[in-house]
Amino acid sequence: MPALATARLVLAETRSEYPLGSSNIGRTSYDPHTDSYRVHRGLLRTSRRTRGLEALLDPEQLDRSQLLRRGRNELQDFIQRTGQAQAQGFLTGGDRRRLVRDLMARRSTRRGVGNCDEMATYAFLAVIRHNDPAVVQLELAYVAQPLGVDHVFVVLNRPGGSNIADTTTWGPGTIILDPWINEVFYAPNFVAVWQRANPFVAPPSTWQIGLQFDRNTYENTP
């Protein structure tokens, strides 16, 4: 399957796993009669949405430190079940990142709501599960600069010689998978797409992109 088709398939799958969309909307109001929040026109440009209080405020989804504690316990249980008596009381950096990402995806989809980080993490793991040979490079990227922009998305098939910090170097074959704005597009369209869907103050032409990790790091960190 072409990488673009896989990205579109994963986008549809991701959005179906997050039917409530994103919880970081600009304005909300609480209705005590229905115990729910009404989400008014905001970052996702929807007129309004209603979602349960539990989905918005669930600490399992929103508290990353709690995810890490739960991940550490899950790792210890796994080590003990597999008979490795040399269990350590801490996680390595790679283990921590993998477990936190797995838990983020599982617990946020259970509630049907997540921000860009949760959605992009789910999409990143879904692309891995599809195991498409046309996807030769897979990365979880974030906006590192400027201040005031906090965003995470998935990048497919970025050339090895390109600069992760500069989307203009990524070339025509690089695919952006961004479930938070519900878009799949090629890298040359990065600025145009984000000018249309940009909720941030700083324009995309000023963004500097960083790398959280790629598929190889995610799967093979000792």
Side-chain angles (χ1 to χ4, degrees):
M1 180 181 294
L4 183 63
T6 295
R8 286 172 172 165
L9 185 65
V10 167
L11 175 64
E13 177 185 330
T14 303
R15 294 298 299 193
S16 71
E17 290 290 335
Y18 293 90
L20 297 174
S22 174
S23 61
N24 56 351
I25 310 293
R27 290 197 314 117
T28 62
S29 60
Y30 177 64
D31 183 349
H33 300 291
T34 60
D35 189 25
S36 64
Y37 276 90
R38 176 162 291 176
V39 183
H40 303 273
R41 186 176 298 276
L43 299 185
L44 294 188
R45 299 180 300 167
T46 54
S47 57
R48 64 186 181 184
R49 294 185 179 198
T50 300
R51 62 188 70 168
L53 178 64
E54 182 183 41
L56 278 174
L57 301 181
D58 175 23
E60 287 187 344
Q61 180 230 326
L62 298 177
D63 187 346
R64 304 295 171 78
S65 63
Q66 186 177 49
L67 287 180
L68 181 55
R69 288 195 299 271
R70 290 175 181 270
R72 182 181 295 110
N73 293 335
E74 288 192 14
L75 179 65
Q76 294 305 315
D77 290 343
F78 172 76
I79 292 174
Q80 291 172 7
R81 287 198 309 269
T82 55
Q84 299 181 35
Q86 69 277 20
Q88 301 294 317
F90 59 89
L91 301 179
T92 67
D95 289 331
R96 177 180 290 109
R97 288 193 295 179
R98 284 194 296 272
L99 277 166
V100 169
R101 292 291 155 180
D102 290 341
L103 286 165
M104 280 173 58
R106 286 208 307 272
R107 298 187 188 282
S108 60
T109 53
R110 183 182 304 166
R111 301 300 184 188
V113 61
N115 296 337
C116 61
D117 205 359
E118 287 81 10
M119 289 181 174
T121 294
Y122 179 89
F124 176 85
L125 298 176
V127 174
I128 292 177
R129 288 196 301 273
H130 279 275
N131 199 28
D132 180 2
V135 179
V136 297
Q137 177 76 339
L138 178 65
E139 299 165 315
L140 196 62
Y142 68 99
V143 181
Q145 294 290 338
L147 294 176
V149 181
D150 179 14
H151 190 52
V152 181
F153 56 93
V154 182
V155 181
L156 291 76
N157 293 349
R158 181 176 67 87
S162 62
N163 181 3
I164 185 64
D166 183 1
T167 62
T168 64
T169 71
W170 292 3
T174 300
I175 299 167
I176 313 301
L177 167 57
D178 193 333
W180 192 70
I181 60 170
N182 198 26
E183 294 274 2
V184 169
F185 54 94
Y186 284 108
N189 299 320
F190 191 92
V191 171
V193 169
W194 270 97
Q195 282 177 335
R196 183 177 75 245
N198 187 8
F200 303 115
V201 174
S205 59
T206 68
W207 294 3
Q208 184 176 69
I209 313 299
L211 180 64
Q212 289 190 337
F213 47 79
D214 59 17
R215 177 176 182 172
N216 182 64
T217 303
Y218 179 83
E219 293 183 322
N220 300 311
T221 299

